[in-house]
Amino acid sequence: MNRILLVALLGLAAISPTFSAKADSGSTISLKLMTEGLGAPIGLVPIPGGSGRLLVAEQAGLIQLIDRDGKKSGQPFLDLREKIVPLGKGMEERGLLGLALHPQFKSNHKFYVVYSAPLRTNAPPKWDHAERLSEFRTTGADFATADPTFERVVLEIDEPDWNHNSGRLAFGPDGYLYWTVGDGGAFNDVGDVARGRGHPPEGNGQKLDTLLGKVLRIDVDHGTPYGIPKDNPYADGKKGLPEIFAYGLRNPWGISFDRGGKHDLIVVDVGQDRWEEINVIVNGGNYGWRLREGFEGFDPKDPLHAPTNAATVGADGKPFVDPVFAYKTLRGRGTDPQSYGVTITGGYVYRGKAIPALVGKYIFADWSRSMAIPDGTLLVATIPPPGSGTARWTVQPLALKEFPNGRIKSFIWALGEDDEGELYVLANGINSVVNTRGKVFKLVPQQE
């Protein structure tokens, strides 16, 4: 995993009021272990209909079905391991990356996954793999298993490197499918210059004739193999690819829609060596990478220092969209009191009923305070109300009964949300996808 984007020459004093290293004391929130023995759980979605069952996607390629008590089904819901490129035994950003059920899943049985498929025969030479979005269907009336013989490939994207794939999925309130795609890997959105592999001079994030470094938005119900929503910013294909909804992203590691409020689309972006950020995505928005990291400018020739002449607008002259929050990464810094860890993990605005104190707050995480040692931190962001005069969010560790500082002694791979708006933490005990040290926890009121 890796890092992303903050506004030109914004001083530390200007951002410190939005940052709190302290957690609330006397927490009434607990983590309840739901299931364990998983392989790097990357996504969780509920089976609709009130059964309480959940699908948990493992990055190595299995999708497991668990009941409301956390018991796994006797067989995987779907096994994609033979379709996925061979995965490394250590840190890995390929595999099964995204899972979303169709809004009419109960009637049409359709769901969608993103996974790392072998390199296509017509891909540029020496590239790494293809990021594939496919449609699958369940068999039977109980949604307990998928049909392994059915796969409709919707869209494939050639990837130059093994990392910065993203691949997260979410259906919006508009019924369209949103898909985050990373910038293609390597440092600085530059890549291996000697080989000239996969990164144009301006970087993929700013280039509008590539799907890398973007939020995509497509209509899976119309068109062959999909349709383009008419209000996509480049729907006519003249100035950019029609699938693009927003751009200027590095390695989005979480996507979700707020099921309440204004139904904001929230995407976190992993920075390089300086900043981690939270973005509220708008139609046509440019989030700056690789001209910005967080609120500051970015210079690929000097990535650890913000340039004094940082760009504030894109090539089209439109201003960049600011993050709503950014914090320092510990990568390359050792320790820093204004950092939560090494890479941001996206979450959800809490709209459940079990924990009233969290309603309307964005719950997310940092993966760990070390790339080698499991030490992730759960975080809570307070969103300012409309008319408050500020767009900036404030953040602090999410205090738990067992872990007052929010640090749960695991790598926090992802978060999930069930039908009732309750939240889950998907954790792993080791920085690897080829093991079974993954666990799913549920955020619950403190048990008396």
Side-chain angles (χ1 to χ4, degrees):
M1 296 183 203
N2 299 280
R3 7 246 89 245
I4 178 166
L5 309 104
L6 273 206
V7 146
L9 291 121
L10 186 66
L12 205 56
I15 62 172
S16 58
T18 68
F19 184 103
S20 173
K22 292 184 177 181
D24 293 332
S25 59
S27 176
T28 59
I29 305 170
S30 291
L31 278 182
K32 177 183 177 182
L33 178 63
M34 297 298 296
T35 192
E36 55 188 335
L38 299 169
I42 196 74
L44 177 150
V45 297
I47 298 286
S51 69
R53 294 178 300 165
L54 303 168
L55 293 176
V56 180
E58 300 180 5
Q59 192 174 337
L62 294 176
I63 301 178
Q64 306 284 2
L65 176 66
I66 65 174
D67 66 20
R68 63 169 64 250
D69 297 317
K71 182 180 178 181
K72 284 191 292 185
S73 177
Q75 63 180 2
F77 174 82
L78 181 63
D79 186 348
L80 294 171
R81 290 176 293 183
E82 292 187 357
K83 295 177 178 288
I84 292 174
V85 293
L87 302 178
K89 294 183 178 180
M91 181 176 171
E92 181 63 84
E93 292 186 29
R94 299 169 299 178
L96 174 53
L97 303 175
L99 171 63
L101 305 189
H102 192 282
Q104 280 75 53
F105 174 78
K106 287 177 65 177
S107 59
N108 65 23
H109 293 230
K110 294 179 181 180
F111 65 97
Y112 298 83
V113 299
V114 169
Y115 65 90
S116 305
L119 192 66
R120 299 188 293 178
T121 56
N122 61 343
K126 298 184 180 180
W127 282 32
D128 190 80
H129 68 280
E131 185 164 320
R132 178 181 292 168
L133 169 67
S134 286
E135 177 187 284
F136 290 88
R137 296 174 182 172
T138 62
T139 60
D142 62 354
F143 312 111
T145 58
D147 180 356
T149 67
F150 176 88
E151 178 180 7
R152 182 176 77 90
V153 176
V154 179
L155 177 59
E156 291 182 298
I157 302 171
D158 296 319
E159 290 278 2
D161 284 291
W162 67 276
N163 61 342
H164 299 194
N165 301 306
S166 185
R168 303 306 192 263
L169 294 174
F171 277 94
D174 53 16
Y176 298 132
L177 182 60
Y178 293 73
W179 173 11
T180 59
V181 184
D183 69 5
F187 291 108
N188 306 325
D189 198 2
V190 171
D192 189 328
V193 177
R195 288 182 290 174
R197 189 174 77 175
H199 296 263
E202 68 270 43
N204 286 318
Q206 294 298 308
K207 194 170 175 62
L208 294 176
D209 63 358
T210 176
L211 299 180
L212 299 174
K214 310 297 189 296
V215 177
L216 310 182
R217 181 199 196 207
I218 62 174
D219 182 351
V220 295
D221 293 322
H222 302 92
T224 303
Y226 55 86
I228 300 296
K230 292 181 179 180
D231 62 338
N232 273 14
Y234 310 104
D236 60 8
K238 293 180 179 180
K239 294 184 179 180
L241 294 179
E243 296 88 352
I244 295 171
F245 184 76
Y247 63 106
L249 298 167
R250 184 176 181 273
N251 191 22
W253 205 257
I255 179 174
S256 65
F257 282 91
D258 182 357
R259 60 169 62 194
K262 297 182 294 181
H263 306 295
D264 284 335
L265 171 57
I266 303 169
V267 171
V268 304
D269 206 358
V270 177
Q272 186 152 291
D273 288 317
R274 302 184 64 225
W275 301 101
E276 308 293 310
E277 66 182 58
I278 305 172
N279 294 290
V280 174
I281 302 296
V282 297
N283 190 335
N286 180 354
Y287 292 82
W289 179 255
R290 108 194 145 174
L291 295 171
R292 286 205 313 177
E293 187 179 16
F295 295 102
E296 294 182 341
F298 181 83
D299 181 358
K301 296 180 180 179
D302 187 13
L304 292 180
H305 301 92
T308 57
N309 59 342
T312 59
V313 300
D316 58 3
K318 296 180 181 179
F320 299 132
V321 181
D322 284 345
V324 293
F325 183 76
Y327 64 91
K328 290 182 178 180
T329 176
L330 282 180
R331 174 173 287 197
R333 294 178 185 270
T335 60
D336 193 305
Q338 290 192 319
S339 175
Y340 296 118
V342 295
T343 176
I344 194 168
T345 298
Y348 297 82
V349 176
Y350 181 75
R351 298 294 180 183
K353 296 180 180 179
I355 311 174
L358 295 184
V359 172
K361 297 180 183 295
Y362 181 67
I363 312 303
F364 68 110
D366 190 282
W367 188 72
S368 181
R369 294 180 65 82
S370 164
M371 300 303 290
I373 301 171
D375 193 16
T377 302
L378 282 169
L379 300 162
V380 54
T382 299
I383 303 172
S388 64
T390 180
R392 300 285 177 85
W393 296 6
T394 57
V395 170
Q396 65 182 38
L398 177 61
L400 303 169
K401 176 186 176 184
E402 306 88 345
F403 308 101
N405 60 4
R407 293 165 61 179
I408 69 169
K409 312 301 182 185
S410 294
F411 296 107
I412 303 178
W413 234 254
L415 276 77
E417 182 184 43
D418 67 19
D419 259 349
E420 298 177 343
E422 303 302 333
L423 300 187
Y424 298 76
V425 179
L426 283 58
N428 199 12
I430 187 171
N431 185 2
S432 171
V433 303
V434 289
N435 69 88
T436 55
R437 292 174 62 181
K439 299 179 180 181
V440 173
F441 299 91
K442 184 177 183 180
L443 286 174
V444 297
Q446 177 179 327
Q447 302 301 309
E448 298 296 338

